[in-house]
Amino acid sequence: MSTVRRPDHPSAHRSARAAHATGLRHVLTHLITPLLMCLGMGLAYLGAFAHPAPHHLPVAVVGPGRSAQLLAQSVNDKAGGDLEVRTVGERAAAVDRLRHQDIFGAYVIPEKGAQGTPGAKGASGVADGSGAKGTSGSKGASGGAGRSGDEAGVSSSSGTSGASSGSAGRGGAGGAARPGKPVPPPELLVATAASDTSATVVQKVFTPIAGQQGAPLKVTDVAPTAEDDPTGQGIFFLLVAISIGSYASVAVIGGAGAVLPLRLRTALAIGTSFVVGLIGAAFAGPVFHLVDHGLGGLWGMAWLYSAGVLLIGTGLHTFLKRWTTLGVMTLFVMLNFTSSGGIFRPEMQNGFFAALHSFWNGAGFVEGVRSHVYFDGYGLPGHVWTLVGWLVAGLVMIGVAALAEKQRRTGEAEATAHAAAVAAAAVAATVPEPARSVRAAGNAQPGAGHGSASAAAALEEELEEAVGV
C-alpha cells in the first residue's frame, strides 16, 4: 500500500500568511485614494457651503435727495461690511445695474409727493374744530359767541364769513375734501437669474425696513429664470452631470487606452467631449427645459468645458497613473463645484472660493450660460475666454505628456539595448567562441572545413535566440 505524504503544515501556513500580508498591504495602499477623496470633499463642500454669509454684497437704495443717502448709510452701518449699499437716483438705472449684475437688489423708496393732495390737507384743517390754524373765521365765531349776546349776530356773521374764506384758502373751493392719491408700497428689485440665494438674502434685509414704514414690501423680479427652473440652480446640476461624464471618461481613456499612442488618446478625448456636450444640451433643452432659448450657445460652452477637463485629465494620467482620479476630482469637483457660483455667489462665500470664482472653469460655464440665456450676453466674452483658457491648458498638458512619453520610450529602448549587450557579453564569457572552435577543427581535419562552418553558423544562431537578439 502506497502512503500519501502529508504537506508540511507550518510551511503552508507561513506561505498563506505572507500572501495575506501582501494582499492586505495592496488593499490598504489603494484605500488611501478614497479616504483622501472623503477628506477633500468634506473640506471643500463644508468650507464653501456650511456657513454662507454675505461679504460686501452690492445692493442699492433708489430715491432722490437726502432720504436715500441717509437710508443707505443706515443700512451700511447696521450690516457691518456684509453689504455694500450705494444710492441710485432712478428706478430705471437700478434695473439696468441689476441686468449687468453690478448689484443684486435695489430698494425703491416711495415718493413723498404721493401721500395726498393739498385739498385734503385743507379739508382736514377745517374739520379740526374752532381752534384749527388758519380758520380765522371759525375763531372769530367762537369768540363772538363768548363775548356777549348783543354782539352774537355780528360776530356770528363775520365768523361765518371768516370760516368760509379760511376754508377756501386752505382746503380749496367750498372746503370739500378731495380723495388723496394712494401711497405706493416700497419696492424691492431683484434678479433671481443671477442668484436665487442672493435675492433671498437681500429680501430678508429690506423686509424689516419696509415694515418700519407700515407697508408691505413689493418684490419685483427683473430677470426671472425659466419656468421649469424656478431657482436657477438647474445650471449648476447640469455642470455636475457634464463634469462627471468628463472626468470619468479620463479614467477609461487613461486606463484601458494606455496601450494606444497619445495622439489617439487625444482624439478620443476630443470626440468624447463632443458627445458629453450633446448630452448636456439635451438635458438643458428637450429633457428638462432648464433654458427656453440659446441652446446652441449652451452646447458650445459645454463642449469647451468638457474638452478642457478631458485633455487636462488625459495629460495628467501620463504622470499621475493611478492617482489620476484623485487629481481630476480635486480640480474639477472639490475646487470646481464649490467656486462655480451655482449655489452661492462669491459674495456669499469666503475669500478663497470667491477668488477661484474669477478664473475657474466651472464658474466660466455657469456664469457664461447665465449671461447667454438671461442677461442678453452681458459679460459673455469674458466667461467664454475662461473656458478657452482651460482648453489651451489642456492642449499644453497634452504636449508636455507627449514629450515625457517620448523620453520614456527612448530611455526604455536604451535600457533594453544595454541589457541585451550585457547578456551577450555574459554568454560570450561562458561559452567557447564558435569561430575559434571551427578553426581548431579545421586545423585538425582539413577535409571537413565545409561541415564545420555549417555547425558554427547553427551554433551562433542558437546563441542569438538564447539572448533574444
Side-chain angles (χ1 to χ4, degrees):
M1 178 181 293
S2 62
T3 57
V4 179
R5 184 179 179 184
R6 301 184 64 182
D8 186 5
H9 290 290
S11 176
H13 289 166
R14 283 195 297 271
S15 300
R17 283 196 299 268
H20 292 166
T22 302
L24 183 60
R25 283 195 300 270
H26 182 74
V27 172
L28 291 176
T29 302
H30 283 77
L31 277 176
I32 294 175
T33 300
L35 292 176
L36 288 176
M37 288 180 182
C38 176
L39 179 63
M41 293 287 284
L43 290 174
Y45 273 72
L46 295 177
F49 298 148
H51 301 288
H55 300 282
H56 301 285
L57 182 68
V59 297
V61 173
V62 184
R66 185 167 175 77
S67 59
Q69 296 177 354
L70 290 175
L71 179 58
Q73 185 61 47
S74 174
V75 175
N76 246 338
D77 293 341
K78 292 179 180 179
D82 293 342
L83 302 178
E84 185 180 306
V85 188
R86 58 198 70 174
T87 57
V88 179
E90 298 179 351
R91 184 182 186 277
V95 172
D96 186 65
R97 292 194 180 188
L98 281 166
R99 292 189 180 278
H100 289 173
Q101 300 185 65
D102 294 331
I103 58 176
F104 296 95
Y107 182 79
V108 183
I109 301 176
E111 296 181 6
K112 289 184 178 180
Q115 293 178 356
T117 63
K121 184 177 180 180
S124 65
V126 175
D128 281 345
S130 61
K133 183 179 180 180
T135 55
S136 57
S138 299
K139 183 177 180 180
S142 61
R147 280 195 292 269
S148 66
D150 296 337
E151 299 176 357
V154 178
S155 298
S156 177
S157 173
S158 63
T160 303
S161 174
S164 300
S165 62
S167 299
R170 295 286 294 175
R178 292 201 300 266
K181 184 178 179 181
V183 179
E187 183 182 18
L188 179 65
L189 306 176
V190 296
T192 56
S195 174
D196 180 69
T197 53
S198 296
T200 301
V201 168
V202 172
Q203 188 172 346
K204 288 182 178 179
V205 169
F206 286 103
T207 296
I209 296 176
Q212 292 174 1
Q213 299 178 0
L217 181 64
K218 176 186 176 183
V219 180
T220 302
D221 191 351
V222 302
T225 58
E227 183 178 354
D228 291 330
D229 185 22
T231 65
Q233 295 179 4
I235 296 174
F236 169 75
F237 293 107
L238 179 63
L239 169 71
V240 173
I242 294 173
S243 300
I244 292 175
S246 300
Y247 75 73
S249 299
V250 167
V252 176
I253 294 173
V259 296
L260 299 176
L262 184 59
R263 64 179 182 276
L264 289 182
R265 282 177 278 154
T266 302
L268 283 173
I270 295 175
T272 303
S273 66
F274 182 87
V275 177
V276 170
L278 288 177
I279 294 174
F283 284 157
V287 178
F288 294 106
H289 308 287
L290 301 178
V291 300
D292 50 17
H293 65 281
L295 200 57
L298 184 147
W299 171 81
M301 284 182 277
W303 174 78
L304 280 174
Y305 172 82
S306 179
V309 173
L310 274 156
L311 290 176
I312 290 175
T314 302
L316 284 176
H317 191 272
T318 299
F319 306 98
L320 299 182
K321 299 300 182 183
R322 70 183 183 89
W323 299 100
T324 303
T325 301
L326 178 62
V328 295
M329 283 195 68
T330 301
L331 290 174
F332 305 121
V333 176
M334 300 175 193
L335 300 179
N336 190 28
F337 295 166
T338 51
S339 64
S340 66
I343 302 296
F344 298 114
R345 285 194 56 82
E347 295 85 3
M348 296 291 295
Q349 296 182 300
N350 58 47
F352 175 73
F353 293 101
L356 291 182
H357 180 85
S358 62
F359 65 92
W360 218 256
N361 58 345
F365 175 77
V366 170
E367 299 295 352
V369 172
R370 283 174 174 168
S371 175
H372 175 61
V373 176
Y374 297 122
F375 296 99
D376 300 325
Y378 183 81
L380 178 61
H383 303 310
V384 172
W385 277 115
T386 297
L387 296 175
V388 171
W390 281 80
L391 177 64
V392 172
L395 293 173
V396 171
M397 181 61 66
I398 291 292
V400 173
L403 292 176
E405 290 187 6
K406 182 179 179 181
Q407 292 179 353
R408 187 179 300 169
R409 287 193 303 269
T410 302
E412 290 175 353
E414 292 177 351
T416 301
H418 179 70
V422 170
V427 171
T430 56
V431 178
E433 186 176 351
R436 187 176 304 166
S437 301
V438 170
R439 284 197 300 270
N443 292 334
Q445 299 178 357
H450 181 72
S452 300
S454 300
L459 180 59
E460 184 176 359
E461 185 176 353
E462 290 177 0
L463 289 175
E464 288 177 351
E465 291 178 355
V467 298
V469 179

